[in-house]
Amino acid sequence: MWSSFFNAARHRQVFALALPMVLSNITVPLLGLVDTIVIGHLEHAYYLGGVAVGATIISLIFWLLGFLRMSTTGLAAQAVGAGDNERLLQVLARGCLLALGLALLILLLQQPLTELAFWLMGGSAEVQFYGREYVMVRIWSAPAALINLVLLGWLLGNQNARAPMLLLILGNGANILLDIWFVLGLGWQVKGAAAASVLADYLATALGAWLVWRTLQRRNVWPAAGFWRRILHLAAFKTLLGLNRDIFIRALCLQLTFAFMTFQGARLGDEVLAANAVLMNFLMFISFGLDGFAYAVEAMVGKAVGARNRAEFRLACALNLFWGGVVAILFMLLFALAGQTLLGLITSIEPVREQASQYLPWLILMPLAACWCFILDGIFIGTTRGGDMRDMMLLSTAGVFFPVWFLTQSLGNHGLWLAMLCFMLARGITLGWAWWRVERRQGFIISDGTL
């Protein structure tokens, strides 16, 4: 394995999967920036507040259902590694059926879901009114948005990062152009921003379906006799639902910690809340760099598991952990040397910058603490061991994040950031321990024909 580790071609393989995903991730904050600019040019601030609140609610719903992407990537990669085209097609069909079922459920429950979300979020009457306007339009993108998660995961599982990059860049690019046209050109205000996202999601679905069709043609994969009967097999759906349930619980815990950071920051004052919001952008920067390698390791280890190739599995883990560590060190240097400059670019409000500067050292340490959990998450997604991910996340949340915060409340916001740093570190340590435990007992790959 170690001779392969020093093979430049193997490192290029990692970057061929990672870099397109990093580039496509950049379009996400760009879309948010354009949303802010076009709505921010309307005459009242509550338009912007309404879009912000409405978009947060929609993003939370779709983000919690991100297991559709993750589980599809792991299962598709394993099918590719095994050379099982029938199973590869089944993964796609079951994922799309599950996505449509969940979208239908969201549409049926949109009224109570919306009322609960706005009750929890609060805000002025105007913000709530326009926030509801946004949600009531944007919610109709649910079928397309959830199917897009499946298509994205399936294409990535096929070791193809260029197609997901096209899907994300063109989808978000269309959203940006439609945003400008509908809001500034046609004067549709908040409904225009929501309608732009809905139409862009369906355009992305059409593009994704075409990319999937091309992949199926290239692989010469077509449904065999009795395909749809096997698709609806109860045991297979039960396995898929179990995996998705575990990833959903993991996502819920992660979201809980970030929400707690926001709520507790609000209790410490408006300036602390704003400073934390600014510093959260640094965490977003970290995710841009590390998500690409997390996606790469998902596809690579999934393929190795499908092929029952233990050497390839361990090499994929080593390569991506190495580059995850390198990127983390680069982020640490960036934040240490240019952190103050970055803060100035994000906000010009002096009291907020001063507050953020006090807590910047925590963000300088964060990349090295967090990089391991990103890559290890990808390993467990690629091997479809959702139960281990769930358990380690629960342990890190209930056993580390909240106890550390409780014991350091006297430190104020420093205690919050210490809890987040320990939480990220604990995720990496616990997942590393779980990885070592599986490898020591029977290995992620029980039968290996290559050794």
Side-chain angles (χ1 to χ4, degrees):
M1 184 194 86
W2 289 111
S3 61
S4 297
F5 181 85
F6 294 104
N7 185 335
R10 303 313 303 267
H11 290 271
R12 285 196 295 270
Q13 180 188 2
V14 172
F15 278 90
L17 288 168
L19 283 182
M21 301 312 299
V22 173
L23 292 173
S24 57
N25 280 346
I26 294 172
T27 64
V28 177
L30 182 60
L31 172 59
L33 179 62
V34 172
D35 254 347
T36 302
I37 291 172
V38 296
I39 298 297
H41 278 79
L42 299 179
E43 60 269 28
H44 298 295
Y46 50 68
Y47 290 129
L48 186 57
V51 169
V53 170
T56 298
I57 291 170
I58 293 293
S59 297
L60 176 60
I61 294 171
F62 293 167
W63 191 86
L64 286 174
L65 299 178
F67 56 73
L68 291 166
R69 201 280 307 163
M70 297 179 190
S71 61
T72 303
T73 299
L75 292 169
Q78 290 179 19
V80 169
D84 190 339
N85 287 336
E86 168 78 6
R87 178 151 56 107
L88 183 63
L89 198 55
Q90 289 178 4
V91 169
L92 176 63
R94 288 197 188 101
C96 288
L97 286 174
L98 181 58
L100 286 173
L102 290 170
L104 178 61
L105 189 62
I106 289 171
L107 293 176
L108 289 173
L109 298 176
Q110 59 178 287
Q111 193 65 37
L113 284 174
T114 302
E115 291 305 317
L116 175 62
F118 279 100
W119 177 76
L120 290 171
M121 284 202 161
S124 68
E126 291 84 359
V127 166
Q128 290 234 350
F129 175 81
Y130 287 106
R132 281 185 171 84
E133 265 200 351
Y134 182 92
V135 171
M136 288 297 101
V137 174
R138 181 72 194 281
I139 200 75
W140 290 98
S141 71
L146 298 190
I147 286 177
N148 288 343
L149 291 174
V150 175
L151 300 181
L152 184 69
W154 191 84
L155 290 165
L156 189 58
N158 275 269
Q159 317 296 297
N160 181 355
R162 293 183 66 187
M165 179 182 71
L166 286 173
L167 186 61
L168 287 169
I169 290 178
L170 292 180
N172 287 330
N175 199 340
I176 289 170
L177 293 175
L178 291 169
D179 217 4
I180 296 170
W181 181 27
F182 289 172
V183 177
L184 299 182
L186 300 180
W188 290 357
Q189 299 180 338
V190 171
K191 287 183 178 179
S197 295
V198 173
L199 185 53
D201 280 336
Y202 282 97
L203 289 173
T205 303
L207 173 62
W210 179 73
L211 292 169
V212 166
W213 177 260
R214 285 191 59 187
T215 303
L216 293 173
Q217 282 187 315
R218 188 171 61 251
R219 288 186 173 276
N220 196 27
V221 180
W222 308 107
F227 173 78
W228 290 106
R229 186 182 70 252
R230 290 189 293 276
I231 284 297
L232 299 174
H233 193 262
L234 186 60
F237 257 111
K238 186 176 180 181
T239 301
L240 177 61
L241 289 171
L243 174 60
N244 286 332
R245 175 204 62 211
D246 293 336
I247 300 176
F248 173 79
I249 293 172
R250 166 200 169 273
L252 197 59
C253 289
L254 186 59
Q255 191 65 26
L256 177 62
T257 61
F258 287 123
F260 189 81
M261 285 281 292
T262 301
F263 294 151
Q264 287 301 123
R267 290 174 180 267
L268 296 172
D270 289 350
E271 289 179 1
V272 171
L273 175 62
N276 284 353
V278 169
L279 292 172
M280 282 295 181
N281 283 279
F282 284 52
L283 279 180
M284 187 169 61
F285 294 154
I286 296 169
S287 73
F288 292 156
L290 296 177
D291 267 348
F293 295 100
Y295 291 159
V297 79
E298 288 174 27
M300 292 172 72
V301 302
K303 184 178 179 181
V305 168
R308 298 190 180 280
N309 190 325
R310 187 176 291 118
E312 282 294 310
F313 169 79
R314 290 176 176 170
L315 179 61
C317 295
L319 287 169
N320 285 281
L321 284 167
F322 169 75
W323 282 111
V326 170
V327 171
I329 292 170
L330 292 176
F331 270 120
M332 290 180 70
L333 291 173
L334 174 66
F335 294 161
L337 298 176
Q340 295 294 338
T341 302
L342 290 172
L343 288 177
L345 291 174
I346 294 172
T347 179
S348 59
I349 304 172
E350 192 58 35
V352 174
R353 288 177 60 182
E354 290 176 2
Q355 285 284 341
S357 296
Q358 292 183 36
Y359 310 113
L360 182 60
W362 296 111
L363 273 299
I364 295 173
L365 297 173
M366 195 67 73
L368 200 58
C371 67
W372 317 112
C373 66
F374 277 83
I375 309 304
L376 287 163
D377 266 347
I379 292 171
F380 281 91
I381 289 169
T383 56
T384 59
R385 297 186 68 95
D388 288 321
M389 290 177 62
R390 175 202 63 207
D391 293 345
M392 297 309 106
M393 179 62 85
L394 286 169
L395 179 60
S396 300
T397 304
V400 176
F401 178 80
F402 285 108
V404 170
W405 166 78
F406 182 78
L407 294 172
T408 60
Q409 290 182 75
S410 60
L411 298 177
N413 201 44
H414 284 292
L416 266 179
W417 281 106
L418 175 60
M420 179 57 71
L421 184 76
C422 291
F423 169 69
M424 291 293 185
L425 190 59
R427 287 177 59 201
I429 292 172
T430 55
L431 284 169
W433 173 74
W435 185 90
W436 173 81
R437 184 184 59 181
V438 173
E439 283 286 74
R440 185 184 179 193
R441 289 181 178 177
Q442 80 275 357
F444 287 90
I445 302 172
I446 299 172
S447 174
D448 185 358
T450 67
L451 298 180

